Amino acid sequence: MKLFAGYDGGGTKTACVLTDETGRILGFGLGGPSNYLYCGREVAAESVRTATAEAFADAGLPMARLDTAYMASAAILIQHGDAHVPFFSTCIDAEHVICESDIYNIWFGAVRDTPAVITIAGTGAITYICSKEGHLRVGGWGPLLGDEGSGYDLGLRALKLACRMYDGREPKEPGFMDAMFRHYAVSTPGELLRLLNQGDIRSAVADAAKEVFVLYEQGSATASALLESCAEEIARSVRAAITRDGGAKEYPLILSGGLVRKESPLYAMLEVKLLQPGSGISKITVPQVHPAAASAALALYEAGLHDAVEELLVTAKGWQV
């Protein structure tokens, strides 16, 4: 039995879907961050190996060499995947390793080659207009130059506000500052700074976004304002992409990433901001196929197993992990 694997590698976690040559999903595994531009090669390699091992274990199979592996990674600019094959080949045991941006698997899994706006809002954030004619990018310049609308950006803004409240530079909202510090089991900005300076800072800061969502559900005005600002940053990227494209077409908008799941308040905020006449967005949706399953379908596609591609994508639609 030939085995194939698809990966979705981001700034916080790495998912792996294992399949056979018929397109049957065999197993699923999760590892830590694998965007090695930020977490480093050692951490990324371990994350990929862990996700692979978990997928084999979930399938009840011993580890074996893969025929084809498809890595969709946040570390890769679209159509620049070949430059990343040498690294990912060190942590994926496969006859063929193919690498591409984590935009491409989402596009393929959602609409294949139909033109669409794709926005990822997870640890980082980026927007593309994708079509067979080419790709147009907005944002995604990383934490140094701006990952606005991302979990990192949202978490950083929240932590800065908590520190300003602690200093008295910002009016204190009862519960907000304490909740943010409590999330990291600290009580002062100094303790928080020492904690964040250990290990993968970007992922650690992005983790604060989880607390913002909790506080929003509890009625926090500060959390609500932070999420509105986050939604506006994402909407601004989408509008900029459409404007740069000429503004003459309407596209579906596909939202992917932990921040913009359909049940997220950000999703509802973006509907209000972007589903307006003349916005250039015809509808907003989320992927029905898990990004790692879409990557597995692309591994089969690259191997010429087109019937298996169809089988996997149909099976994976709505598939829960």
Side-chain angles (χ1 to χ4, degrees), residues 3-307:
L3 297 173
F4 302 80
Y7 297 83
D8 185 59
T12 301
K13 61 183 180 294
T14 301
C16 173
V17 166
L18 187 67
T19 183
D20 63 15
E21 66 268 28
T22 71
R24 182 166 55 106
I25 295 174
L26 303 174
F28 177 81
L30 272 179
S34 60
N35 184 341
Y36 65 96
L37 301 182
Y38 297 106
C39 68
R41 290 173 180 256
E42 186 176 337
V43 170
E46 183 60 29
S47 297
V48 173
R49 293 189 186 107
T50 297
T52 306
E54 282 197 6
F56 271 94
D58 188 46
L61 295 172
M63 291 287 289
R65 187 170 176 82
L66 299 163
D67 180 284
T68 304
Y70 192 102
M71 167 58 75
S73 171
I76 302 173
L77 292 177
I78 204 163
Q79 296 183 327
H80 288 78
D82 288 351
H84 299 262
V85 170
F87 166 69
F88 284 111
S89 293
T90 68
C91 46
I92 301 174
D93 182 17
E95 195 71 28
H96 309 284
V97 176
I98 299 160
C99 298
E100 185 50 276
S101 164
D102 60 348
I103 285 285
Y104 196 83
N105 61 328
I106 292 167
W107 183 38
F108 183 84
V111 293
R112 305 297 181 80
D113 57 4
T114 301
V117 179
I118 315 286
T119 290
I120 297 177
T123 304
I126 193 167
T127 293
Y128 269 95
I129 291 181
C130 295
S131 71
K132 287 188 289 186
E133 288 71 38
H135 308 88
L136 187 156
R137 173 187 177 178
V138 173
W141 303 118
L144 184 61
L145 297 180
D147 243 354
E148 298 89 353
S150 68
Y152 171 83
D153 181 61
L154 177 60
L156 184 61
R157 292 186 191 203
L159 293 177
K160 283 183 174 181
L161 267 176
C163 291
R164 291 172 67 86
M165 288 178 182
Y166 180 91
D167 289 339
R169 292 180 290 150
E170 196 79 29
K172 288 184 181 178
E173 178 188 301
F176 182 87
M177 181 191 77
D178 292 341
M180 297 309 301
F181 288 159
R182 190 167 55 246
H183 185 76
Y184 292 93
V186 300
S187 56
T188 69
E191 292 174 7
L192 178 63
L193 189 60
R194 284 191 290 274
L195 178 69
L196 294 177
N197 272 321
Q198 302 171 22
D200 180 9
I201 297 175
R202 187 166 177 255
S203 296
V205 169
D207 198 61
K210 296 176 185 175
E211 195 64 36
V212 177
F213 283 100
V214 171
L215 289 166
Y216 172 83
E217 295 297 335
Q218 294 173 354
S220 164
T222 301
S224 179
L226 283 166
L227 289 182
E228 278 288 351
S229 176
C230 182
E232 183 54 36
E233 290 291 356
I234 295 170
R236 187 174 289 137
S237 292
V238 173
R239 294 186 198 110
I242 290 170
T243 298
R244 284 178 54 194
D245 189 54
K249 303 173 186 175
E250 276 201 336
Y251 296 100
L253 170 61
I254 301 163
L255 295 173
S256 182
L259 261 67
V260 288
R261 295 187 300 267
K262 202 158 189 176
E263 63 273 19
S264 165
L266 282 178
Y267 187 96
M269 292 174 185
L270 287 168
E271 284 187 316
V272 172
K273 292 176 183 294
L274 292 172
L275 289 182
Q276 302 288 341
S279 69
I281 296 299
S282 57
K283 65 177 181 178
I284 299 177
T285 187
V286 295
Q288 298 300 304
V289 174
H290 191 285
S295 291
L298 281 162
L300 294 167
Y301 182 85
E302 293 292 341
L305 300 171
H306 294 174
D307 289 343

